[in-house]
Amino acid sequence: MGDDERFDYMYKFISKGTYVEGDLANNLTLLEEGDLYVAKFSGDGSADGLHDGTGEWLPLVVDGQSTVEGMTLEEVPVFTRLAADKVGPTKMDRPEDVEVNLVNGRVYAALTNNSRAHPGPARRGQSPRQQQARPVPEITPSSGDHTVTGFDWKLVLVCGDPDDPETYFNGYDKSRVSPISCPDNVSFDKTGNLWIATDGNALGHCDGMYLMPLEGEHKGHLQQFLSVPAFSECCGPLVEWDDRVVFAAIQHPGEETGASTTNVLSRFPYRGQHAAPACGHHGLAGGEGRSRQGVEQGREQEHGQGFEQGQGQEHGHDRSLSDRQQPGGPSATSLAGGPPLVTR
């Protein structure tokens, strides 16, 4: 599970029960009792050309007991962020979506962006726009068992402009891939290919949906599949019907600072007398989570580790502020407005 906020965490819940095919009564109880963990990633940076390391799932609740000092079993599932803060997991860049690839058994996460990340040794010289482009990690459980606490990880994708030396496409030739930033959701087809939807493109392009093989000669060959309308994000994706149909959810077209009923920035899905804005340059954007009240306002500013820096790079961690920036992006006049396949 991912907590879609800057400098928050990835979690794992292991149910005490077991899924039984066709037994709805049993399966509806699977989230009622189990063990809860939060992820800590260790690595040595990317100086060796590899984006990888090991990790550990730190316990928060085990066998019906809190393992967090000073917090009860009742408090941990309610104030989970505060509980996780106490055990020292890795602070991450908005891990919005975490999914299991049923073909290879590995876990993939979409880390959308982080407008508050401070440049570290590997990021000095990068503009804020470059720092909005975040990675997709792949997690492989030790011994192939998702119930154990150890795992290996690597980045299969470091998003951004392929001309940026910090970007990485699972070893594929970067002159042949599509630019991408702000990965938001991931999914898989029946052969295990990775599908990615984006939110808040920071490269001056439309948000969209992308396809990247994880195995074979085309491993890492990221290709744009579609673009979405002006100032919207692409959600999903969902691949169904024996890979013959791909579903995409188009959220909030035209949502941008200054938009109103008299200043319409997108008319999707309707056709009106006024065309939507043309694709072009735009400022930094991307949903940053919604405002929270109460206990979140009491989480004081901290410093923690950023995911891409492994263990050792400090980042500012402001627990009290979680305002939401308006997503933006250049436009496509319709889902069909972008090419079905875009390579560089």
Side-chain angles (χ1 to χ4, degrees), residues 5-6 94 113-115 132 286-289 322-325:
E5 182 57 274
R6 291 158 291 195
R94 296 187 57 214
N113 56 35
N114 192 338
S115 60
Q132 286 274 343
E288 290 282 1
S322 57
D323 54 302
R324 183 175 188 267
Q325 295 180 357

Side-chain angles (χ1 to χ4, degrees), residues 134-159:
R134 284 297 186 263
V136 174
E138 173 189 85
I139 298 173
T140 303
S142 301
S143 305
D145 183 357
H146 285 286
T147 66
V148 301
T149 57
F151 62 86
D152 297 317
W153 66 268
K154 71 172 185 176
L155 301 185
V156 296
L157 176 65
V158 180
C159 297

Side-chain angles (χ1 to χ4, degrees), residues 164-196:
D164 182 345
E166 293 296 326
T167 57
Y168 178 74
F169 295 81
N170 217 7
Y172 199 80
D173 181 357
K174 295 201 292 183
S175 70
R176 301 182 60 192
V177 302
S178 299
I180 182 176
S181 71
C182 303
D184 208 49
N185 299 106
V186 294
S187 188
F188 310 93
D189 56 33
K190 69 176 182 180
T191 57
N193 294 315
L194 175 65
W195 292 75
I196 305 169

Side-chain angles (χ1 to χ4, degrees), residues 199-202 205-207 230-232 252 255-256 282-287 325-330:
D199 173 19
N201 196 297
H205 305 148
C206 307
D207 276 311
F231 309 111
S232 65
H252 53 71
E255 182 185 74
E256 174 68 329
H282 71 290
L284 287 178
Q325 295 180 357
Q326 294 293 339

